[in-house]
Amino acid sequence: MSSWDRSKSIPWSLVRQDGRDPDAYKEQVFKSLQKQMMNETRDDVESVSSAMDGSEQQQEEKSTIVPYSTGDMFKMAAFGGTIGSITGAVFGFMDSMRTAGESPVLQKASNQAKARYMMEGTTRSATIFGVFFGGFHLVKYGLRVAVNPGEWTEIGVAGAISMGALMSRPAFRPSMPYAGMLVVMDGVQIVMREWDKDK
């Protein structure tokens, strides 16, 4: 085999131009090339693994961290306030009708007085439930942004805080069963959503 055939496997940049035979330093060139390749391979593997670790960590952070958005917060509060107000108006109207039918004083009152009483009861109940359920959704959103414990924990903690606030005023305590129903319905909505995903 000629020296040309042996030297063609050596990169031209490493072939000495002093006229020496490439066979004399061929092993030295191959060892330096191998060492260079090993270092580059190790650096590539380290950079790829660090990039993978970084991307996995970023994906994990992205999946657990919910960024704060004022628009989302207002949407949650508006949704809770709307649903709570509608629910409160219905229950307030039903309670006012029942009370107007059972009360001996209201039975003797004029129809206009009964209508005013029912309107006041409906408005009061709609306001209480609107504030309650809007606050419940605000607490849920705050928990999601702060620690993102999961939907069930959010409902449990936000429900306890909201129900505690409702229980703090004796005038609001009769509304607690209806308020509890709203919190339970929020959990039912999660179950239904998960059930639809499984289909």
Side-chain angles (χ1 to χ4, degrees):
M1 177 183 286
S2 69
S3 60
W4 168 254
D5 291 332
R6 280 178 289 206
S7 68
K8 69 180 176 181
S9 60
I10 299 174
W12 282 105
S13 60
L14 297 177
V15 175
R16 295 181 186 161
Q17 302 299 321
D18 59 3
R20 289 179 53 198
D21 184 23
D23 283 336
Y25 58 91
K26 183 176 181 180
E27 288 299 318
Q28 181 183 2
V29 170
F30 280 146
K31 283 181 183 179
S32 69
L33 284 174
Q34 280 180 336
K35 205 181 276 186
Q36 219 175 6
M37 275 183 32
M38 293 288 282
N39 289 338
E40 286 176 7
T41 304
R42 189 177 331 115
D43 291 345
D44 289 345
V45 168
E46 287 174 2
S47 65
V48 166
S49 66
S50 66
M52 286 176 61
D53 290 343
S55 68
E56 286 174 4
Q57 187 176 5
Q58 285 177 346
Q59 284 179 344
E60 190 174 310
E61 287 175 3
K62 283 180 184 177
S63 67
T64 57
I65 294 176
V66 176
Y68 170 77
S69 168
T70 305
D72 287 345
M73 183 185 72
F74 282 124
K75 283 182 203 173
M76 294 285 284
F79 172 77
T82 303
I83 298 299
S85 295
I86 292 169
T87 305
V90 170
F91 287 130
F93 182 75
M94 289 183 345
D95 283 346
S96 297
M97 288 276 292
R98 183 178 45 83
T99 305
E102 292 174 355
S103 171
V105 174
L106 287 173
Q107 285 178 352
K108 294 177 184 172
S110 67
N111 286 339
Q112 187 178 4
K114 288 180 187 177
R116 188 177 321 127
Y117 175 78
M118 287 192 299
M119 186 57 99
E120 286 174 4
T122 302
T123 306
R124 181 173 27 88
S125 184
T127 304
I128 290 169
F129 279 93
V131 170
F132 166 78
F133 208 51
F136 168 80
H137 276 278
L138 280 176
V139 172
K140 249 179 70 173
Y141 183 74
L143 285 169
R144 185 176 304 143
V145 169
V147 291
N148 197 12
E151 290 180 320
W152 291 106
T153 307
E154 288 171 13
I155 290 173
V157 172
I161 291 171
S162 302
M163 294 292 272
L166 198 62
M167 198 181 344
S168 68
R169 300 274 315 260
F172 298 155
R173 288 181 187 158
S175 302
M176 288 196 57
Y178 301 136
M181 183 209 65
L182 280 172
V183 173
V184 168
M185 289 308 293
D186 201 51
V188 168
Q189 172 255 329
I190 292 171
V191 171
M192 296 300 288
R193 187 176 60 213
E194 292 298 321
W195 190 49
D196 284 343
K197 282 183 187 176
D198 291 340
K199 283 185 175 181

